[in-house]
Amino acid sequence: MNGDSLSTAPISVTEVADLLGVSVSHVRQLADRDVLPSTRTKGGHRRFDPIAVLEAWNRYLPARHKPPRVTIREQHPLAGTDEDALWSALAPQLALPARAEAVAQYITTEMVNNAIDHSQGTTVTVTAVREHGLWTIEVVDDGDGIFEHLATGLDLDNRLQSLAELTKGKRTTDPTRHTGEGIFFSSKAAEVFTIEANGWRLTFDNEREDFAYGVSPINKGTVVRYTMDPKTERTIQRLFEQYTDDEFRFSRTVPRIKLYEIGTRFVSRSEAKRLGIGLEQFSEVELDFAGVTDVGQGFADELFRVWAGAHPDTSLLPIKMNEAVTFMVHRTRSN
């Protein structure tokens, strides 16, 4: 419908019904809900501006045909909860295709298991929301928060360092019971995977093949949120094959550590020592120097000579270095 040829004179309920091709009762309902703007005469009869009616109707139509938002929620006490039992209660309600269901099951059960074993909380809540054809699934616990837990368990200086540790993969505060691979593989399996806790947010965007740090309003507990496309082409088997070697060890991953996220100037050996913790578990590690302006001799020597010499099976791959950083790294390696 086009309003260009319409008169601007007020029209009646019946004329609006004819204009829109709906019933008079439907027009009255929309007017009562203020979807269609109207005024009343002294006698109490509704009158409508036809141009305003068409504009409001064109805004209303997309919303009317928008697929309904679906929300599913499961809450369980952490004590005595089994992650598989929780998933069994959730899965039939999601009705995902087999491939997407396998991915969602892996991520959800891994995150619930983390909450059970590490959060020190009392409850875990899984909420799934379907909107615009995608599922967004949240696993929430009321514990201490993952970044605080890692900072304490790994003896880090602060919570922000916990975010950097998680990007490495294989980081766990309980290596006798956990490999630390659950969060790593989960973060690679979904379209977008986010962890929020202790005032910080860590997001893995696998569509952009990037990750980012941010602040978060979440200070109590941990919120893990991921987006699942029911038509996903990802499979857990393919993901495992991509990041494991011929002996089925998790070693092929090339974690990229963005040094700019930690600081623009690196001058101390202690910073290099902290950075190297856990990297020996990988065959290659990318060190992204984009945005880093200065690298001190002590930092470079500790990382590229001392640490590299002690771990010859791990290759450090510095990338995106400026001229000054390149000189310092190459100088250290040549010595």
Side-chain angles (χ1 to χ4, degrees), residues 12-302:
S12 67
V13 171
T14 302
E15 290 172 315
V16 171
D18 292 339
L19 177 66
L20 302 181
V22 298
S23 66
V24 170
S25 62
H26 189 41
V27 171
R28 290 197 177 101
Q29 290 172 3
L30 295 178
D32 290 340
R33 289 161 48 195
D34 293 324
V35 174
L36 299 180
S38 65
T39 59
R40 287 190 182 271
T41 65
K42 291 182 180 180
H45 300 290
R46 287 190 185 274
R47 289 294 180 264
F48 300 82
D49 179 331
I51 303 297
V53 163
L54 282 181
E55 291 175 348
W57 180 250
N58 288 332
R59 290 192 300 269
Y60 168 70
L61 276 179
R64 186 182 67 167
H65 294 295
K66 180 181 177 181
R69 177 186 173 103
V70 178
T71 302
I72 301 168
R73 189 169 182 266
E74 291 282 339
Q75 186 174 60
H76 294 252
L78 282 170
T81 289
D82 181 88
E83 64 268 22
D84 290 331
L86 192 155
W87 174 255
S88 296
L90 182 68
Q93 303 176 75
L94 298 177
L96 289 167
R99 179 179 294 171
E101 180 176 345
V103 174
Q105 179 179 6
Y106 176 82
I107 299 174
T108 303
T109 55
E110 285 289 337
M111 296 307 100
V112 171
N113 185 60
N114 276 355
I116 294 170
D117 289 348
H118 299 301
S119 74
Q120 318 244 336
T122 60
T123 62
V124 60
T125 303
V126 179
T127 304
V129 177
R130 187 183 68 196
E131 197 167 26
H132 306 300
L134 300 175
W135 281 103
T136 299
I137 300 176
E138 282 189 350
V139 179
V140 181
D141 67 63
D142 59 353
D144 297 333
I146 186 173
F147 302 135
E148 174 65 25
H149 181 76
L150 282 173
T152 301
L154 298 178
D155 196 25
L156 304 174
D157 290 342
N158 54 58
R159 295 168 176 173
L160 183 58
Q161 291 176 14
S162 300
L163 281 70
E165 293 302 309
L166 282 180
T167 64
K168 297 176 182 178
K170 282 183 154 182
R171 301 303 281 143
T172 175
T173 58
D174 189 4
T176 60
R177 299 177 60 201
H178 295 274
T179 63
E181 298 174 8
I183 288 180
F184 176 83
F185 283 117
S186 295
S187 71
K188 299 293 184 184
E191 274 66 35
V192 179
F193 181 92
T194 300
I195 304 174
E196 296 190 61
N198 308 117
W200 293 101
R201 179 174 60 250
L202 175 60
T203 300
F204 297 87
D205 188 331
N206 293 308
E207 297 299 312
R208 299 180 181 178
E209 297 184 348
D210 203 356
F211 64 88
Y213 298 170
V215 296
S216 167
I218 304 299
N219 287 297
K220 176 66 175 176
T222 300
V223 176
V224 178
R225 182 186 308 106
Y226 69 93
T227 303
M228 172 58 56
D229 184 348
K231 300 177 181 178
T232 184
E233 294 296 321
R234 293 183 174 88
T235 68
I236 294 300
Q237 179 180 351
R238 191 180 307 156
L239 188 63
F240 286 167
E241 289 172 350
Q242 182 180 355
Y243 290 101
T244 54
D245 60 22
D246 293 338
E247 296 180 7
F248 300 100
R249 294 173 302 184
F250 173 33
S251 61
R252 277 188 191 163
T253 178
V254 183
R256 176 176 294 185
I257 301 172
K258 293 191 173 184
L259 304 187
Y260 180 75
E261 302 286 0
I262 305 170
T264 58
R265 301 183 72 247
F266 289 78
V267 295
S268 70
R269 289 187 183 273
S270 62
E271 289 170 310
K273 289 177 180 178
R274 184 168 61 243
L275 179 65
I277 295 173
L279 298 185
E280 71 277 1
Q281 302 174 81
F282 305 99
S283 57
E284 293 182 333
V285 178
E286 284 188 353
L287 302 175
D288 188 345
F289 282 88
V292 176
T293 58
D294 303 81
V295 168
Q297 188 274 334
F299 176 88
D301 184 70
E302 182 65 34

